[in-house]
């Protein structure tokens, strides 16, 4: 029984060695930003990301366009654009279009704590005709799909013959 426990412990240790070898400290080339401020509350001029994502988007004529599906935040923490999901049912057949954050007119709910709706100058047809928004991971997949494999053989694999001895 003790051999079994020893073997199990050795197996677990060997599985953990790669994880233990990783350095979790920041690299020497990476500089950390100072944390100096700890905001205690939300102000009336701020929006929670959780209120933005999922908010209803309408046109100036009150035509329902879609909902905010995601936010594009730059390295300084500034929301530059929002991704509007147009159409579709349960995510099937939807189209994602990015619009700049500055182009949004955000209407608060009656109590002021949430977002009632967001108005944009474009209508649903105009946004439907805009270019699809692509994430970095989507672009990488598309680029990899278009690039021919360098190491892939173009014909049938050669057959090696080894004579029997």
């Amino acid at each position: 029984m003790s051999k079994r426990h020893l073997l199990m412990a050795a197996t677990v240790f060997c599985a953990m060695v790669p994880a233990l070898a990783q350095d979790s400290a920041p690299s020497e080339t990476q500089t950390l930003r100072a944390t100096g401020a700890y905001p205690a509350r939300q102000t009336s001029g701020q929006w929670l990301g959780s209120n933005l994502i999922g908010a209803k988007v309408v046109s100036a004529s009150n035509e329902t366009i879609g909902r905010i599906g995601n936010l594009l935040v730059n390295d300084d923490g500034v929301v530059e654009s929002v991704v509007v999901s147009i159409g579709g049912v349960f995510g099937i057949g939807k189209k994602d279009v990015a619009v700049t954050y500055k182009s949004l007119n955000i209407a608060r709910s009656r109590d002021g704590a949430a977002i009632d709706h967001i108005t944009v100058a474009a209508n649903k047809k105009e946004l439907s005709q805009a270019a699809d928004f692509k994430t970095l991971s989507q672009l990488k997949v598309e680029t990899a799909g278009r690039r021919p494999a360098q190491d892939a053989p173009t014909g049938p694999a050669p057959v090696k013959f080894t004579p029997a001895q």
Side-chain angles (χ1 to χ4, degrees):
M1 186 71 135
S2 65
K3 281 186 178 181
R4 189 176 191 178
H5 285 248
L6 185 61
L7 182 60
M8 183 68 101
T11 303
V12 169
F13 179 75
C14 288
M16 290 177 52
V17 167
L20 294 172
Q22 293 177 356
D23 184 14
S24 61
S27 68
E28 292 177 18
T29 59
Q30 178 186 15
T31 42
L32 296 176
R33 297 176 181 181
T35 307
Y38 302 95
R41 65 186 55 89
Q42 175 185 1
T43 67
S44 61
Q46 297 173 326
W47 307 105
L48 293 175
S50 58
N51 289 143
L52 280 170
I53 295 176
K56 179 180 173 184
V57 178
V58 298
S59 68
S61 63
N62 210 26
E63 166 194 28
T64 299
I65 294 174
R67 297 206 173 263
I68 303 292
N70 217 331
L71 308 175
L72 287 162
V73 182
N74 70 19
D75 285 338
D76 294 325
V78 176
V79 177
E80 291 183 348
S81 300
V82 298
V83 179
V84 180
S85 294
I86 303 167
V89 178
F90 300 115
I92 299 171
K94 73 176 173 85
K95 175 182 176 125
D96 289 337
V97 177
V99 297
T100 62
Y101 183 81
K102 291 181 178 186
S103 69
L104 305 178
N105 295 303
I106 301 174
R108 287 192 180 271
S109 60
R110 285 185 188 256
D111 66 1
I115 296 173
D116 183 61
H117 66 277
I118 297 173
T119 306
V120 294
N123 61 35
K124 189 171 186 173
K125 182 179 179 184
E126 291 168 336
L127 287 177
S128 295
Q129 293 172 347
D132 288 2
F133 172 77
K134 306 270 187 207
T135 64
L136 280 176
S137 59
Q138 289 171 326
L139 291 172
K140 286 180 181 182
V141 167
E142 288 178 4
T143 303
R146 281 188 244 137
R147 188 179 319 140
Q150 303 265 353
D151 300 330
T154 55
V159 178
K160 292 184 181 179
F161 178 76
T162 51
Q165 294 181 0

